[in-house]
């Protein structure tokens, strides 16, 4: 059996905390105080992780999500070997590259050129390997004009581009990336995503920490959710992200003094109840409820909504995903340009899809009515499922109408 690229077993990490009047003193001051043992000890410990265990297979892309203070960055520092666990064990196999903090490892007084060479050596490259990859690293970072300037003169985005480019081009077996990519511009973000895709195709291992749930869902097939230092969930990206979103919605509802609890039944349901979804249906081209649609045929998603009181802040939305949790489509009235006026009672909302160009398979529908800031009134996950059929099979989830044409010396038997 192939050994995992990352193996974390029962890891607990506790930081020492000292009170405002209890900094670490000298041995002399401790003796004069008459309490040498107590004077040199911390007031208490700050637990960051509790008994976290998981494995990451070679070639797997895993995301880590959770609120601020949940232990995500601490976990990555443990994987990188920057920190040691208080208890438990961490094992990473193969060459490791980590991009954990803005400008981490760079000396601000020396040039980008010198920092590149030093960082490359620290990541295990030889001077010859650095020389071979030097131009490619600089081109990817787009720092040709600033390479000989001190790093302290770089913007945050420039420092991130240089750090990511070095890490990405050192041919790591395992790449650890923290939230630092958020400071990059749009063009750099696209290049970074392309590099992640290259890693995946090459069988490299990626561990990505981000608050960008869409990015995590897009780039990672599996996601870990950390909550107050504990592993709250570990599963397929779509499923784990949905669970986390639900927890955030519940927390926000509680903060507002509302209630948000899952309802009984096969689908998950949360929200304040200021408006509720009474019915969600998929209709065929004839307006009949259906659970089976032919690929390319028109379809309509319909929700019946009831508001308990008049609302001026409301958004209606639908989402379609595979049963494995990969998002296929999602939109709402705010995205499509509708500005809310008033919802005063019962209403019917219809989303017409002219051509449902999906590949054959089973799909899941989410439906929601919520405030513009995302706070749910009624959010129902996996509220219904439907099957798409087609005369021809196709890979992926999109199956557009298509036609082939040929020219030259090519013939077909049929």
């Amino acid at each position: 059996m192939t050994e995992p690229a990352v193996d974390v077993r029962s890891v607990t990490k506790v930081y020492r905390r000292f009170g405002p009047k209890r900094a670490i003193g000298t041995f002399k001051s401790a003796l004069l105080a008459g309490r040498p043992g107590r004077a040199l000890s911390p007031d208490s410990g700050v637990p960051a992780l509790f008994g976290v265990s998981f494995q990451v297979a070679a070639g797997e892309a895993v995301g880590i999500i959770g609120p601020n203070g949940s232990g995500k960055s601490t976990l990555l520092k443990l994987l990188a070997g920057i920190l040691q666990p208080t208890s438990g064990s961490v094992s990473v196999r193969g060459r490791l590259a980590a991009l954990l903090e803005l400008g981490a490892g760079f000396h601000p007084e020396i040039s980008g050129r010198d920092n590149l060479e030093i960082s490359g050596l620290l990541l295990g490259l030889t001077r010859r390997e650095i020389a071979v990859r030097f131009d490619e690293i600089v081109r990817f970072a787009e720092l040709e004009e600033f390479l000989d300037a001190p790093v302290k003169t770089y913007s945050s985005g420039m420092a991130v581009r240089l750090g990511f480019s070095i890490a990405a081009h050192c041919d790591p077996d395992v790449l650890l990336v923290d939230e630092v990519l958020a400071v990059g511009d749009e063009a750099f973000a696209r290049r970074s995503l392309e590099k992640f895709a290259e890693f995946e195709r090459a069988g490299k291992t990626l561990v990505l920490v981000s608050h960008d749930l869409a990015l995590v869902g897009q780039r990672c097939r599996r996601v870990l959710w950390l909550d107050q230092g504990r592993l709250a969930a570990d599963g397929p990206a779509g499923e784990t992200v949905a669970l986390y979103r639900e927890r955030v919605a519940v927390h926000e509802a509680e903060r507002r003094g509302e209630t948000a609890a899952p309802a009984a039944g096969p689908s998950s349901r949360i929200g304040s109840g200021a408006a509720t979804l009474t019915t969600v249906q998929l209709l065929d081209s004839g307006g009949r409820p259906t659970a089976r649609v032919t690929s390319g045929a028109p379809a309509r998603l319909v929700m019946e909504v009831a508001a308990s009181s008049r609302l001026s802040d409301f958004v209606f939305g639908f989402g379609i995903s595979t049963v494995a949790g990969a998002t296929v489509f999602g939109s709402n009235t705010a995205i499509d340009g509708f500005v809310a006026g008033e919802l005063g009672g019962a209403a019917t909302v219809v989303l017409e899809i002219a051509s449902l160009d999906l590949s054959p398979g089973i799909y899941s529908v989410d439906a929601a009515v919520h405030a513009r800031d995302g706070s749910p009134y009624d959010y129902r996950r996996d509220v219904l499922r439907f099957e798409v059929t087609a005369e021809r099979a196709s890979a992926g989830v999109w199956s557009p109408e298509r036609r082939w044409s040929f020219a030259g010396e090519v013939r077909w038997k049929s």
Side-chain angles (χ1 to χ4, degrees), residues 44-330:
S44 62
V46 181
L49 294 171
F50 300 89
V52 174
S53 297
F54 64 91
Q55 293 183 335
V56 179
E60 191 175 13
V62 174
I64 301 177
I65 61 175
N68 290 329
S70 61
K72 303 184 300 298
S73 295
T74 293
L75 178 56
L76 249 62
K77 289 177 181 178
L78 289 168
L79 297 180
I82 297 172
L83 300 175
Q84 293 298 314
T86 304
S87 63
S89 65
V90 175
S91 174
V92 179
R93 295 175 175 85
R95 176 182 282 177
L96 171 70
L99 188 61
L100 303 184
E101 294 180 3
L102 183 59
F106 289 157
H107 194 298
E109 300 295 335
I110 64 177
S111 68
R113 182 186 302 274
D114 292 336
N115 271 295
L116 188 161
E117 294 176 351
I118 293 171
S119 296
L121 291 171
L122 291 174
L123 288 171
L125 297 178
T126 65
R127 291 187 181 277
R128 180 178 179 81
E129 288 173 327
I130 294 173
V132 170
R133 304 176 194 192
F134 189 91
D135 290 342
E136 187 179 357
I137 292 172
V138 175
R139 276 197 302 272
F140 187 91
E142 293 186 331
L143 292 175
E144 292 91 340
E145 298 181 15
F146 308 97
L147 194 58
D148 293 308
V151 167
K152 68 181 180 181
T153 65
Y154 285 13
S155 68
S156 57
M158 293 165 68
V160 164
R161 294 205 306 267
L162 181 59
F164 181 83
S165 186
I166 295 170
H169 289 87
C170 77
D171 194 25
D173 298 302
V174 179
L175 178 64
L176 311 178
V177 182
D178 206 342
E179 191 67 56
V180 291
L181 290 182
V183 304
D185 58 23
E186 179 68 17
F188 175 71
R190 289 180 180 275
R191 292 201 303 277
S192 300
L193 292 178
E194 291 172 1
K195 185 61 69 174
F196 289 156
E198 287 180 20
F199 285 163
E200 186 175 4
R201 290 192 295 269
K204 306 294 186 180
T205 303
L206 171 68
V207 179
L208 172 66
V209 166
S210 181
H211 289 290
D212 187 341
L213 301 182
L215 171 64
V216 171
Q218 176 186 357
R219 262 296 40 97
C220 304
R221 297 185 180 182
R222 175 182 163 209
V223 171
L224 311 180
W225 166 22
L226 287 177
D227 189 16
Q228 297 183 343
R230 303 182 187 276
L231 191 59
D234 177 359
E239 179 180 326
T240 305
V241 168
L243 289 172
Y244 176 57
R245 288 185 188 276
E246 289 176 13
R247 181 64 190 90
V248 171
V250 169
H251 176 75
E252 286 301 300
E254 291 173 348
R255 184 180 62 82
R256 292 165 176 255
E258 302 168 346
T259 59
S267 67
S268 178
R269 185 176 191 174
I270 58 172
S272 66
T276 57
L277 305 179
T278 56
T279 304
V280 178
Q281 292 181 310
L282 175 67
L283 306 184
D284 63 17
S285 57
R288 297 176 295 271
T290 185
R292 178 175 294 182
V293 179
T294 301
S295 180
R300 286 183 286 173
L301 287 167
V302 180
M303 65 169 74
E304 300 286 346
V305 186
S308 56
S309 60
R310 294 188 180 277
L311 296 174
S312 59
D313 180 10
F314 55 90
V315 176
F316 306 115
F318 287 104
I320 300 176
S321 62
T322 67
V323 290
T327 300
V328 174
F329 164 80

